[in-house]
Amino acid sequence: PVASPCPVPKVEDAGGKCVPPSGPVLMTFYMYRAQSDEEYPLENVNMADLAGVLWYLHQEVVVSVPRKFQVTRILRYVVTMKNTRALHKLSGKQFGPFVAFDEGSAKGRSRMWETNGFVVGCQSVNTKLYKYDTHQHEPGQWYSLPGPCPEERIGRKTRSCARLAPGGRCPGAEVLGTADCTYHAEYAGELRLDELEGISNYSAWWLGKAKDGGTAPNGNREYDVRTDRGTGMSFWDGRHNRTACRERAMQVERLFEQKYQQLPRRLPTPPCDSG
């Protein structure tokens, strides 16, 4: 198919002008996720664009020694989404409200799912805290992908609940924009945080020998919010420095491009219009 000359989600009218769409639009773009070495389905989870995942890592993960939640990598997916007509008719927006999932659960959202369908949600990050923005100079974004039985935690989702609340993940690559088919995700590679930061082994980097012959923290730290610097590395230095934040994002793109040359370095990211 011929690429649209309009920035997503705008569409070209009969006169060649880019105008807002009259309904939900099919959009394909990259989503990223910071994750441990654990594997689980891509449903009832939160995702981000590149700026959003770096914001999350900088704010939540690398400030802790060892890293919070045992995060070891950045996963990338090509996500195709199309939210429901019910959502667009109600709000005029392409994205639904962002929903924070905790262990696969987002309590108190049943009425929203019933009204709008299991829609993909978004929210923008606070760039006053960390200066991560997109190539379109928009704030980084977080996304929510509702799956089966989104009210219940992992391990408590029953088959009967999943039948009543199937979630929005489509069974195949065709995304229909129906209540139970709003997104499809395909794995598009991953990066280890170690390779991004230029270290060979994180455990060896932050641990040293203790006097008793065991191991103990050696003082290395990826990032300290009090000093706005790391100890033993400088990759995360400067959370308020927009140039440094953009360079970190470009380094992620470069490494993905080197490892997965068959995939585009970047895909157009739609702006978050929810909120």
Side-chain angles (χ1 to χ4, degrees):
V2 178
S4 170
C6 301
V8 289
K10 290 186 176 182
V11 295
E12 190 175 12
D13 69 7
K17 293 182 179 180
C18 294
V19 297
S22 59
V25 174
L26 190 72
M27 302 182 289
T28 299
F29 53 103
Y30 283 135
M31 286 190 189
Y32 299 81
R33 179 169 171 80
Q35 192 168 302
S36 68
D37 287 332
E38 188 178 353
E39 302 284 357
Y40 41 81
L42 201 71
E43 49 196 17
N44 292 319
V45 294
N46 294 122
M47 305 283 285
D49 65 0
L50 179 53
V53 78
L54 286 169
W55 191 103
Y56 172 78
L57 284 165
H58 213 155
Q59 161 85 356
E60 295 287 342
V61 176
V62 299
V63 292
S64 175
V65 182
R67 293 171 184 148
K68 196 172 182 180
F69 305 128
Q70 294 79 52
V71 169
T72 57
R73 55 191 175 143
I74 299 173
L75 301 174
R76 183 179 68 173
Y77 291 85
V78 176
V79 175
T80 299
M81 65 159 281
K82 182 181 180 181
N83 274 335
T84 62
R85 283 203 169 273
L87 172 71
H88 193 271
K89 184 177 181 179
L90 187 66
S91 67
K93 297 177 179 180
Q94 296 298 318
F95 285 94
F98 176 80
V99 174
F101 285 101
D102 181 16
E103 295 184 28
S105 169
K107 293 284 188 183
R109 300 288 182 153
S110 292
R111 181 170 293 182
M112 185 186 77
W113 307 130
E114 291 169 3
T115 302
N116 297 328
F118 296 95
V119 295
V120 177
C122 74
Q123 75 173 14
S124 299
V125 302
N126 185 349
T127 54
K128 291 182 180 179
L129 298 178
Y130 296 81
K131 294 287 186 181
Y132 290 104
D133 58 10
T134 70
H135 294 285
Q136 293 82 30
H137 308 295
E138 298 282 345
Q141 298 168 189
W142 289 356
Y143 307 109
S144 48
L145 302 182
C149 198
E151 294 271 326
E152 296 296 335
R153 291 178 181 270
I154 294 169
R156 297 178 129 189
K157 299 179 187 291
T158 64
R159 290 183 180 180
S160 60
C161 176
R163 282 195 298 270
L164 292 171
R169 188 175 185 180
C170 302
E174 185 179 12
V175 178
L176 302 175
T178 55
D180 60 354
C181 178
T182 55
Y183 70 92
H184 172 75
E186 293 185 10
Y187 175 78
E190 63 184 76
L191 293 178
R192 308 292 295 184
L193 291 188
D194 290 6
E195 62 182 309
L196 178 62
E197 297 170 343
I199 60 177
S200 58
N201 182 286
Y202 177 67
S203 294
W205 180 81
W206 76 272
L207 285 172
K209 288 187 177 180
K211 292 180 179 179
D212 62 3
T215 58
N218 60 16
N220 280 342
R221 191 182 192 96
E222 290 163 293
Y223 180 72
D224 188 332
V225 70
R226 295 168 299 179
T227 61
D228 195 30
R229 301 180 64 84
T231 301
M233 79 163 57
S234 59
F235 182 82
W236 299 98
D237 292 5
R239 67 188 174 107
H240 296 299
N241 186 325
R242 180 171 276 109
T243 300
C245 289
R246 287 179 177 170
E247 177 55 36
R248 283 185 279 270
M250 287 190 288
Q251 176 65 356
V252 173
E253 289 184 325
R254 282 192 291 265
L255 289 174
F256 268 115
E257 187 174 42
Q258 291 169 14
K259 293 182 70 174
Y260 305 96
Q261 297 179 18
Q262 77 279 16
L263 294 174
R265 176 172 181 158
R266 174 182 309 159
L267 293 172
T269 302
C272 177
D273 60 359
S274 181

